[in-house]
Amino acid sequence: MVSSSMSRVMCVSAAAGVLSSSVEQKIYVELNETVPCVRLLNATHQIGCQSSISGDTGVLHVLETESDLDWILSSGPHPPYMVIMETAFFNRSVMMRMKNSSRVAGVAVIISKTGLADNFSPHTTCPNQNTGVYSASYGSDLANCNVTAWNPLGNGLSYEDFAFPVFALKDENQTRVIRKCYEDHNLRVNGSAPQYPLCAMQLFSHMHAATDTVTCMRRTDLQNRFSINPEVLCDPLSDFNVWTSTRPLNNSAKGHAANESVVIAATRLDGRSFFWEQAPSAEGTVSGIVTLLATIQALHPVTQEAPPPHNIFFSFFQGEAFDYIGSSKMVYDMERNDFVIDLNNVHSMLEIGQVGLRSGRSLWMHSDPVSRQNKSVDIEVMQSAAAGLNLTVDQPSVSQPLPPSSFQRFLRVRGIPGLVLADHNTSFNNRYYESLYDDAENLNVTYPPDLSPDEQLVYETDAAKSLAEVATLVARSLYIQAGGDENNLNNITADPKIVSHTTSTNTHTQTPTHTNTQSQTHTHSHSHSQTHTHTLTHTQLFSYFWVSGPASLNSTGEPFCVRASVRLSKAVSPAFELLEYGSPNYSTWTESRWKSIQARIFLVASRELEMLTLGVGVAVLLLSLLVTYFISSKAELLFSSARETPTTTY
C-alpha cells in the first residue's frame, strides 16, 4: 500500500507533468506532414542538409518577391530568418544565394502547384556519369556526356551541401496557420520593420554523419569495435531487386544454368528528389515499371502455349538513381557465380527507360556505338513489332552513347547485345526529372471529376492507353528476340485496363529512393509459371505470397495465396561487401542517421525583453540567495523555541 506522503509526491509530479505539457502546447505549434532534406555521402563528399544539434531557429519571413529576398539577405533587422517560400522561388539561384548568406537559419518550401516553373530538375545534367560504361578506357569521346547532355535542365541542387535545414510543408491547414502567424506578427507595414513579438520557426534535423562515406564507415567500425553501446552513423543505401522469368529458374542453384539462355527485360524501381523519400517519379520510373508489368501480363498466355527457345528474364533494379546500385550488384553476383544465372546465360538485353510519351508518339531505340551488335538485337525486329500500333519506333540518326541505364553496368563487364527503349531521341523530354513534381499530372494521368476511386482504378486514361501500346511493342519484341514464332504476335496484346489499374496504383504511391520494394512485388506476382522438372521442389522454383485480395474500397478483399516465380535479391553496392568505401567502380552512397525530425512555430520576444527578463531572473536569484543566507545565519534566533518561564515559588 502506498503511503500518504508518497501519494502526495505522485500527485504533485503528475500535476507538474500536465502543467509542463500544457505550457509547452501553449508556447509551440507542432508542424506535422513535414519532410526534411537529409544528408547523403559518397566516397568523396557529402550532400544534403542538416540543422545544428539543438535545432535552428529564425524569424519567419515569406519569400514572395525579389524585395523579400533583399530583406532576408541584407536589409531585414531581425536575422537570422527562417524563409517560407512557394515552389516558384525554390530554384538553384535563390537557394545558392541563401546558402552563401549567414542571415538564413533554414528554409521551408510549401509544396503546391502554385507558380510551378515550366521545368525543375534538381539532378545533374549527366546522371551517373562516373559509374557508367564510358570512361577513359571505353568510348572516351562519349564519356561525361560530351556528345549528349541527357538532362540539360538539371540544376544540381540535390547535390549541394547546405549547412541549414530545408523542409517541405505538405499540410495545407498548417501552411495556413504559418501564414496567419506571419501576417499577424511579421508583416511589414509601409516598408517598416514589424514590432515584437515576432513569429519564429524552429527546425530539427541534425545528422550524425559528416565528411564522406569513408570517414563515416570508419567511425562506425570503430564504434562497433570499441564501444559498449555502439552508434551507427550512416547506412549504405540498399534494398532488393525484383526478378522473375517466363520459365521458373532453380533459385537454390548458383552460377551457370545449364542449357538456359535468357533475354533480359529490365527497368528501374527507384527515383529520388531533393526531399527525403518524396519521389513520385511518374515519368522517370513508374512509366517503365508499369510497362514491364503489362509486358509480363501480355506475354503470359503465349509463353505458356508456345514457349520460345530462350527464357525471358524480367528484372526490376533498385537504387539505379545512386550510381546503379541494383544492376551493379546483380552483375557482380553473376561474375562470382553467386546468382541463379551468370553472364554466359545472357543472350541479349532490352531495357525500358522513360516511356511516358508525354510529348509525342515516337519511341527511340538506343544502342552502344562502341560494342553495337545489331545482328543479335535487330532493330528492324522492333520496328516490325510496332506494325499496327499507334506509335513509331526509330533510332538516333547520329552516333551517340547510351542514355543513363542499367545496361551500361552489363557492358562494363561484357559486350552483351542490347537496346534501351525511351521516349527521347537525345536529351530527356522529362522537364521534372528526379524531382517531386514528376508526378501523375506530369504523366497526364487525369480522370473525369465524377469518377469514384473504384472507377478510377479501371478507367482507361490516355496515358494508360499509350503505355499499353508500348507494353505490346515490348512484349512482341521480346517474344521474337527469344526465338518465338512470329505468327503468334497477334496474340500478344497488353490490356489497357490492367495498365490503368497499375498506373493508378503506382502514381498515387510515393516511390522511395531506396526502400519499400516489397510493395512492388505484389503487383507482378503472377501465378503463370508451371514447373517443367519434377526433381526440383516447389520452393526452389516458386515463392508464395499471402495477398489481401482485390483492391476495392467497397470490398473486404478475401485473402488468398499466390504462387509465383517472383524473387528478391539484394540490391546493395558491392563496395560495402568488399569494404572498399572509396571505390571508384561501384556506388558508395550512404545515408546519415538522425534522432529527431521536428518543426514548430512560436512567438519570440525582442532581445531587449529577453535580456530584461534574464536580468530580472538573475536579480531574483541573487536576492533569494541573500535572503536565504540571512535566514540561515539567523536560524537559531528565528526558529528556536520560546524559553519556558521558570516556575516561581512562593
Side-chain angles (χ1 to χ4, degrees):
M1 184 174 180
V2 182
S3 66
S4 59
S5 60
M6 182 63 72
S7 299
R8 287 193 297 271
V9 171
M10 292 177 64
C11 290
V12 171
S13 299
V18 171
L19 182 60
S20 172
S21 176
S22 176
V23 170
E24 184 176 1
Q25 291 176 3
K26 290 181 179 179
I27 296 176
Y28 299 104
V29 176
E30 299 291 338
L31 302 177
N32 302 318
E33 297 295 323
T34 59
V35 183
C37 157
V38 302
R39 173 166 289 171
L40 299 169
L41 311 96
N42 66 8
T44 58
H45 62 289
Q46 66 185 28
I47 62 174
C49 323
Q50 78 154 358
S51 73
S52 61
I53 194 168
S54 58
D56 290 329
T57 303
V59 173
L60 276 180
H61 195 88
V62 176
L63 175 56
E64 294 178 315
T65 64
E66 189 67 26
S67 63
D68 288 324
L69 188 58
D70 292 337
W71 180 270
I72 293 166
L73 299 180
S74 58
S75 60
H78 306 123
Y81 285 99
M82 193 65 69
V83 182
I84 310 296
M85 66 170 67
E86 294 278 1
T87 54
F89 282 89
F90 183 52
N91 55 56
R92 180 177 179 86
S93 174
V94 171
M95 290 298 295
M96 294 305 292
R97 288 179 66 182
M98 291 193 291
K99 175 182 177 178
N100 298 323
S101 172
S102 61
R103 293 168 57 90
V104 176
V107 174
V109 182
I110 300 173
I111 302 302
S112 70
K113 296 296 182 181
T114 304
L116 180 61
D118 291 336
N119 59 77
F120 177 74
S121 174
H123 209 277
T124 61
T125 58
C126 190
N128 292 356
Q129 69 179 86
N130 297 319
T131 48
V133 66
Y134 303 107
S135 63
S137 60
Y138 187 97
S140 58
D141 56 327
L142 305 175
N144 301 314
C145 295
N146 289 332
V147 176
T148 305
W150 295 109
N151 186 36
L153 299 177
N155 58 39
L157 194 60
S158 289
Y159 290 83
E160 292 291 338
D161 183 33
F162 294 93
F164 52 74
V166 182
F167 278 51
L169 305 176
K170 299 176 62 180
D171 191 316
E172 293 184 3
N173 293 329
Q174 292 197 338
T175 299
R176 285 193 287 269
V177 171
I178 295 172
R179 281 191 173 276
K180 183 69 164 57
C181 187
Y182 168 76
E183 292 169 358
D184 290 346
H185 299 278
N186 297 15
L187 203 60
R188 288 179 287 173
V189 180
N190 298 324
S192 61
Q195 301 299 313
Y196 287 97
L198 297 175
C199 189
M201 176 180 281
Q202 189 173 35
L203 299 178
F204 297 86
S205 63
H206 182 67
M207 301 286 126
H208 294 333
T211 309
D212 52 43
T213 291
V214 178
T215 303
C216 180
M217 295 302 291
R218 182 180 69 244
R219 291 172 178 172
T220 298
D221 291 343
L222 287 173
Q223 288 259 7
N224 291 333
R225 290 181 183 179
F226 302 110
S227 176
I228 298 176
N229 297 310
E231 183 176 14
V232 177
L233 303 179
C234 61
D235 299 286
L237 296 186
S238 63
D239 208 298
F240 291 92
N241 295 327
V242 184
W243 61 266
T244 187
S245 55
T246 53
R247 294 194 299 269
L249 295 168
N250 180 7
N251 193 51
S252 63
K254 301 294 183 182
H256 184 71
N259 302 320
E260 193 70 73
S261 177
V262 302
V263 176
I264 296 179
T267 194
R268 58 185 279 186
L269 270 178
D270 66 300
R272 70 162 302 190
S273 77
F274 185 85
F275 297 103
W276 183 61
E277 293 196 338
Q278 297 298 301
S281 298
E283 185 171 0
T285 300
V286 174
S287 63
I289 296 174
V290 171
T291 299
L292 194 52
L293 294 179
T295 297
I296 297 173
Q297 180 268 336
L299 279 171
H300 166 54
V302 70
T303 54
Q304 300 306 300
E305 296 174 5
H310 303 292
N311 203 347
I312 303 177
F313 184 92
F314 304 97
S315 184
F316 299 79
F317 293 121
Q318 185 66 279
E320 299 302 274
F322 294 93
D323 293 330
Y324 308 117
I325 293 174
S327 56
S328 61
K329 171 60 174 172
M330 184 173 287
V331 172
Y332 174 76
D333 287 343
M334 286 181 175
E335 287 185 283
R336 297 169 59 247
N337 292 326
D338 197 25
F339 193 64
V340 63
I341 57 174
D342 65 16
L343 292 170
N344 292 323
N345 292 119
V346 180
H347 172 270
S348 55
M349 184 170 178
L350 173 60
E351 181 172 351
I352 304 171
Q354 300 182 72
V355 288
L357 296 177
R358 179 178 49 79
S359 61
R361 306 290 294 173
S362 297
L363 287 173
W364 300 88
M365 297 168 294
H366 299 268
S367 58
D368 172 36
V370 179
S371 64
R372 184 175 290 150
Q373 300 182 42
N374 289 341
K375 291 182 180 179
S376 297
V377 181
D378 196 343
I379 293 179
E380 293 181 0
V381 169
M382 252 189 138
Q383 291 174 327
S384 65
L389 299 176
N390 189 25
L391 49 81
T392 59
V393 183
D394 207 344
Q395 57 181 325
S397 58
V398 297
S399 179
Q400 65 179 13
L402 285 167
S405 52
S406 306
F407 181 39
Q408 293 198 32
R409 293 302 304 191
F410 286 81
L411 287 177
R412 281 176 65 110
V413 178
R414 182 171 299 184
I416 296 170
L419 294 173
V420 176
L421 187 67
D423 63 3
H424 53 88
N425 179 10
T426 54
S427 58
F428 299 159
N429 292 328
N430 191 348
R431 298 173 296 133
Y432 302 108
Y433 180 73
E434 300 292 31
S435 80
L436 52 84
Y437 306 123
D438 184 10
D439 53 15
E441 293 182 17
N442 189 37
L443 198 60
N444 289 338
V445 180
T446 56
Y447 302 93
D450 58 339
L451 292 186
S452 67
D454 281 352
E455 291 171 331
Q456 287 183 4
L457 287 174
V458 295
Y459 179 80
E460 296 181 15
T461 63
D462 291 338
K465 293 175 183 177
S466 296
L467 291 179
E469 289 200 323
V470 178
T472 300
L473 168 68
V474 172
R476 292 176 179 178
S477 302
L478 288 171
Y479 187 71
I480 298 174
Q481 187 67 21
D485 188 349
E486 294 190 26
N487 294 323
N488 293 322
L489 291 187
N490 291 333
N491 299 326
I492 302 175
T493 304
D495 185 355
K497 280 189 168 53
I498 295 292
V499 175
S500 180
H501 188 164
T502 314
T503 304
S504 177
T505 302
N506 279 280
T507 55
H508 285 82
T509 304
Q510 299 296 335
T511 306
T513 57
H514 60 279
T515 57
N516 296 337
T517 324
Q518 295 271 5
S519 62
Q520 300 288 350
T521 63
H522 292 167
T523 59
H524 51 84
S525 297
H526 301 288
S527 56
H528 59 267
S529 303
Q530 302 295 325
T531 180
H532 296 283
T533 167
H534 297 291
T535 59
L536 296 174
T537 65
H538 279 203
T539 56
Q540 291 172 312
L541 296 175
F542 300 102
S543 55
Y544 296 85
F545 300 92
W546 186 254
V547 296
S548 60
S552 173
L553 297 178
N554 299 323
S555 172
T556 57
E558 286 294 328
F560 57 92
C561 183
V562 174
R563 187 183 75 173
S565 57
V566 176
R567 298 285 181 173
L568 301 180
S569 62
K570 286 184 178 180
V572 59
S573 173
F576 298 99
E577 291 190 10
L578 297 170
L579 303 182
E580 297 176 358
Y581 305 134
S583 171
N585 299 316
Y586 297 108
S587 171
T588 55
W589 286 107
T590 56
E591 183 180 84
S592 173
R593 287 200 177 185
W594 60 83
K595 287 183 179 176
S596 176
I597 299 295
Q598 186 181 10
R600 58 190 185 182
I601 60 173
F602 56 96
L603 293 181
V604 62
S606 66
R607 179 66 55 153
E608 292 77 11
L609 181 58
E610 289 178 344
M611 297 306 296
L612 177 61
T613 303
L614 177 62
V616 171
V618 172
V620 171
L621 174 63
L622 295 176
L623 180 61
S624 300
L625 292 175
L626 183 62
V627 170
T628 302
Y629 173 76
F630 174 77
I631 293 175
S632 178
S633 62
K634 303 296 182 179
E636 184 177 352
L637 177 63
L638 295 175
F639 302 110
S640 61
S641 302
R643 294 185 178 181
E644 295 181 359
T645 304
T647 306
T648 303
T649 305
Y650 292 97

